[in-house]
Amino acid sequence: MLQAQIYLQADSPAVALPYVLSSLTESENYRLDNLHAAATVMLGELHLAMGFPHKALQALEGIMPHILQHCPLALHAQTFLLQAKCALADAQESTGSLPLPPPQKTICIFSNLPSSGFDTVLSLLEKAFALFEQLEWADKKAEVHYLTARIFHDMQKEKERDNAAANWDVVLSVKEAAKGNMAGLHYAMTLHIPLVEEGEKGKDTREKK
């Protein structure tokens, strides 16, 4: 599964496919239900990456009840997000638009999606975000905000779009600030700089006595 994830992140879903199929077979043979569910979600991600969102949704349909009842929250969130992305990919495929058109072009990439479809996708994104929020998964929270902003843009809801875009910017800013703090901490540790001044440390010890 880890190798499959690496290849997927390297934009090589076809190379990742044998590893996922092997995980599916082994997990089924040994009745490792949660691993089988995780491998199925990964298979859905590969199908989506290869341009087959319908196959991805079909893969998720049968395993969804088990995911909701027995699997960790992270897999819940990833599955909701994947379902939303598959619905949007269907709409993009129908319009023949590029998956990620340049920002300066005002292309309604989801124009073939009916209003009920927008509501379904937004509901999935809300569920995914609530779980990513609990997990403090910044990258995924940013992705949800980005997709939400794109949807509201095509729905011509400028206020909601701008709010989602602002939330996206906030998540990334907080993430970068956290990276900076960790880098500063690491630098201090390499220089053996005490995080508490010696005088303050002695003062705390005396107060405890």
Side-chain angles (χ1 to χ4, degrees):
M1 286 289 290
L2 180 59
Q3 288 175 304
Q5 185 66 43
I6 291 171
Y7 283 120
L8 178 60
Q9 292 178 351
D11 293 327
S12 301
V15 181
L17 188 58
Y19 295 100
V20 174
L21 294 177
S22 176
S23 296
L24 284 168
T25 300
E26 291 182 8
S27 60
E28 189 171 355
N29 289 339
Y30 293 100
R31 298 182 179 179
L32 302 173
D33 295 336
N34 283 5
L35 178 59
H36 188 269
T40 302
V41 173
M42 176 67 72
L43 179 63
E45 292 182 359
L46 295 182
H47 283 317
L48 177 62
M50 291 188 289
F52 305 111
H54 284 298
K55 287 187 176 181
L57 290 172
Q58 289 174 359
L60 295 175
E61 186 177 355
I63 203 68
M64 197 64 187
H66 177 83
I67 291 175
L68 295 177
Q69 293 177 21
H70 303 290
C71 292
L73 291 181
L75 196 60
H76 291 201
Q78 289 175 285
T79 306
F80 287 137
L81 178 57
L82 179 58
Q83 288 178 316
K85 290 163 71 174
C86 286
L88 298 180
D90 272 341
Q92 291 173 353
E93 194 173 277
S94 299
T95 58
S97 302
L98 294 173
L100 292 175
Q104 66 268 22
K105 295 183 179 180
T106 57
I107 301 175
C108 292
I109 59 174
F110 308 141
S111 58
N112 278 16
L113 197 65
S115 58
S116 59
F118 279 124
D119 294 337
T120 299
V121 172
L122 288 172
S123 176
L124 289 168
L125 290 175
E126 288 176 3
K127 292 176 181 178
F129 181 81
L131 296 173
F132 288 135
E133 180 82 308
Q134 294 182 45
L135 298 166
E136 299 182 354
W137 198 338
D139 289 335
K140 293 297 184 181
K141 286 164 60 179
E143 184 176 2
V144 170
H145 285 314
Y146 171 77
L147 291 173
T148 303
R150 294 288 294 274
I151 292 171
F152 280 133
H153 175 75
D154 281 354
M155 295 176 71
Q156 299 182 351
K157 294 186 176 183
E158 295 183 0
K159 182 178 179 181
E160 290 84 351
R161 178 202 63 192
D162 292 344
N163 287 338
N167 289 333
W168 172 82
D169 189 54
V170 168
V171 170
L172 292 185
S173 298
V174 171
K175 179 185 174 182
E176 290 302 316
K179 281 185 179 179
N181 292 337
M182 290 302 297
L185 176 60
H186 176 72
Y187 181 69
M189 292 175 68
T190 58
L191 296 179
H192 304 289
I193 299 175
L195 299 179
V196 179
E197 295 294 337
E198 291 298 328
E200 294 181 0
K201 183 178 180 181
K203 180 181 178 182
D204 293 340
T205 305
R206 290 192 298 273
E207 288 178 353
K208 289 182 180 179
K209 291 181 179 179

